[in-house]
Amino acid sequence: MKCRKCSRQAVINMRQHKLALCEAHYPEWFVLQVQRAIEKYHMFGPHDRVLVAVSGGKDSLTLWDVLLRLGYQAEGLYIDLGIGREDGEPGGYSTLSREKVERFAAQWPGVRFTVVDLWAEYGETLPEIAGRVQRGRGKPCSVCGLIKRHVMNRIAREGHYTVLATGHNLDDEAATLFGNLLHWQTGYIARQAPVLPASEDGFVRKVKPLCRLYERETAAYALVSGIDYIYDECPYAVGATSLHHKELLNRLEEESPGAKLQFYLGFLRAREAGFFCEQSEMVALHPCTNCGQPTSAPGLCAFCRLWKPKQEPADDRP
Amino acid sequence: MKIIYRDKEWELKGRWRVQDAIKEIGLLPQTVLAVRDGKLLTGDVILEEDDEVKLVAVISGG
Ligand code: SF4
Ligand SMILES: [Zn+2]
Ligand SMILES: [Zn+2]
């Protein structure tokens, strides 16, 4: 198959766009798609300070790479959850993924990169916390999501970033939408968007610049661009429902190219047309009495309640 | 040819189109990328008997 633009050998064929591109034209196309999404959804501009949440995986490193290439003020945040560290062995999932991020960041000297090490800062790893709280029963993913959301917002606020960017791709978004539709979780459906504006009570603006690109395309971009990312999954991702939904959507895609794209873009259009308006009864938020981040719970936020027994989690470690 | 995916390996006899070889070992072509000698391959490329192809999973998440 030949590249549409130069007729050299193509490296990828995107059936949903009827577009095959070569090693040189593919990354160019990809970067342009990201730029278009940023503009189309008014995500941010050159004066914004963007905090990119990086996990060491292909999507977030690709996002960071593209934003830097486009000349945005994009700085990284890696949250070390301490996954795999509990066995006492270095080289667990968190260690490996952190190394990938550090190696990537080293290629961009002068670009700021923050690491929040859960164990060093709060005294426990994710599996340790999840093991002792009700919310962590069975799988640590719910606690993990809570921690990541909290830390990302905290670092964004402390560092005076105007935007928080995550590497969610179209497959992630389509799988989330599919899952939410299966259960008709109308509240979640209404809030699923490429941009979540900042809230007055202290949530930073959130954007997903890769939301129109297939997971296959972000992987291809990472490979063609020589981005060294972590192939292995988080050990807790095994058997996740979202993976099952992705599989189902990919079966559909196999038979009708473009099905995932239509499913998601159709949703965004319907959303824009007002089909899914957010429930008007606004939940009143107020600052957490410990950390000051917005919460609907009285007193401590859900994050601070994780650490409740210790009160001052960070400071009492030797 | 030899196909490598995660920690598994397959031997296929004869010549195969990339996408047929992927289906033959039971995977969805949309969910992997094929790499030969460090280069990405489109699904229509014909693989020769002595080729070695690595498949990279593109699906991740939790
Ligand atoms: S799979 Fe679960 S525990 Fe692992 S990073 Fe994702 S949410 Fe966190
Ligand atoms: Zn070309
Ligand atoms: Zn709090």
Side-chain angles (χ1 to χ4, degrees):
Chain A
M1 195 165 283
K2 301 272 177 256
C3 171
R4 154 106 56 97
K5 298 204 169 149
C6 71
S7 79
R8 264 182 297 176
Q9 177 65 39
V11 292
I12 187 165
N13 176 32
M14 294 169 283
R15 299 190 309 168
Q16 79 279 22
H17 300 306
K18 297 194 174 60
L19 179 65
L21 293 169
C22 73
E23 213 168 11
H25 287 115
Y26 178 64
E28 248 174 46
W29 175 88
F30 188 96
V31 169
L32 186 66
Q33 297 310 304
V34 178
Q35 177 60 26
R36 284 201 184 139
I38 292 168
E39 287 167 9
K40 180 173 169 67
Y41 301 109
H42 310 288
M43 291 182 175
F44 49 81
H47 300 298
D48 278 297
R49 288 188 59 234
V50 185
L51 181 63
V52 186
V54 281
S55 67
K58 63 185 191 314
D59 301 303
S60 55
L61 286 181
T62 287
L63 173 62
W64 198 9
D65 183 272
V66 171
L67 295 185
L68 288 170
R69 278 174 204 284
L70 284 167
Y72 288 107
Q73 304 179 54
E75 302 180 339
L77 165 64
Y78 176 79
I79 303 173
D80 188 330
L81 300 161
I83 294 171
R85 188 185 292 180
E86 67 277 13
D87 328 322
E89 286 172 33
Y93 173 75
S94 287
T95 309
L96 288 176
S97 54
R98 178 171 173 167
E99 281 167 8
K100 299 286 182 192
V101 179
E102 284 171 343
R103 224 168 289 155
F104 177 91
Q107 296 167 12
W108 294 86
V111 172
R112 194 154 82 171
F113 161 50
T114 307
V115 174
V116 171
D117 184 324
L118 210 59
W119 185 83
E121 237 170 273
Y122 297 95
E124 277 178 297
T125 63
L126 169 69
E128 286 166 354
I129 306 154
R132 66 167 172 76
V133 300
Q134 178 70 25
R135 195 177 178 140
R137 286 271 169 87
K139 259 192 166 223
C141 296
S142 162
V143 176
C144 181
L146 166 68
I147 290 173
K148 286 192 284 200
R149 280 191 300 276
H150 177 94
V151 172
M152 290 188 295
N153 204 60
R154 191 196 99 202
I155 299 297
R157 276 168 40 137
E158 287 174 2
H160 305 289
Y161 291 94
T162 43
V163 191
L164 172 68
T166 53
H168 294 90
N169 56 48
L170 189 139
D171 293 64
D172 295 324
E173 293 302 297
T176 300
L177 177 60
F178 186 66
N180 286 338
L181 284 171
L182 278 181
H183 302 282
W184 285 105
Q185 293 187 305
T186 51
Y188 289 147
I189 297 168
R191 262 172 285 138
Q192 189 182 351
V195 177
L196 284 179
S199 71
E200 276 170 31
D201 31 44
F203 284 118
V204 74
R205 181 178 180 81
K206 293 194 193 93
V207 300
K208 300 169 184 169
L210 303 182
C211 69
R212 303 203 308 175
L213 290 151
Y214 280 10
E215 190 149 29
R216 179 166 217 276
E217 290 154 17
T218 63
Y221 179 88
L223 286 175
V224 170
S225 311
I227 296 174
D228 180 21
Y229 64 89
I230 184 158
Y231 286 99
D232 296 325
E233 285 284 346
C234 169
Y236 302 110
V238 178
T241 333
S242 63
L243 283 176
H244 182 57
H245 291 160
K246 281 184 178 179
E247 164 95 18
L248 289 172
L249 291 168
N250 277 319
R251 283 182 193 280
L252 201 62
E253 182 77 20
E254 204 66 57
E255 274 156 38
S256 73
K260 288 186 295 193
L261 188 67
Q262 283 160 24
F263 176 57
Y264 181 62
L265 292 187
F267 162 68
L268 291 186
R269 278 193 296 271
R271 197 178 184 281
E272 232 156 81
F275 277 87
F276 304 95
C277 50
E278 281 197 60
Q279 276 95 337
S280 50
E281 17 105 24
M282 290 282 288
V283 198
L285 298 180
H286 53 82
C288 162
T289 51
N290 181 49
C291 71
Q293 290 217 53
T295 176
S296 56
L300 293 175
C301 71
F303 178 84
C304 289
R305 267 182 285 133
L306 286 177
W307 316 92
K308 206 164 126 210
K310 291 200 188 155
Q311 295 300 332
E312 294 278 275
D315 308 327
D316 57 13
R317 281 198 75 80
Chain B
M1 80 233 37
K2 188 194 268 180
I3 301 187
I4 304 165
Y5 177 62
R6 298 193 195 268
D7 46 10
K8 286 195 219 125
E9 279 187 26
W10 290 263
E11 267 311 325
L12 296 184
K13 290 260 166 281
R15 306 171 78 215
W16 287 79
R17 282 199 316 169
V18 169
Q19 63 193 60
D20 297 332
I22 295 171
K23 284 185 201 152
E24 179 68 17
I25 63 167
L27 298 174
L28 288 171
Q30 286 300 306
T31 63
V32 288
L33 291 168
V35 181
R36 182 182 58 190
D37 302 328
K39 297 261 182 215
L40 269 182
L41 304 174
T42 51
D44 62 326
V45 170
I46 309 274
L47 299 170
E48 302 295 337
E49 183 87 54
D50 54 359
D51 276 342
E52 185 175 301
V53 175
K54 211 180 128 210
L55 300 181
V56 179
V58 304
I59 308 302
S60 59

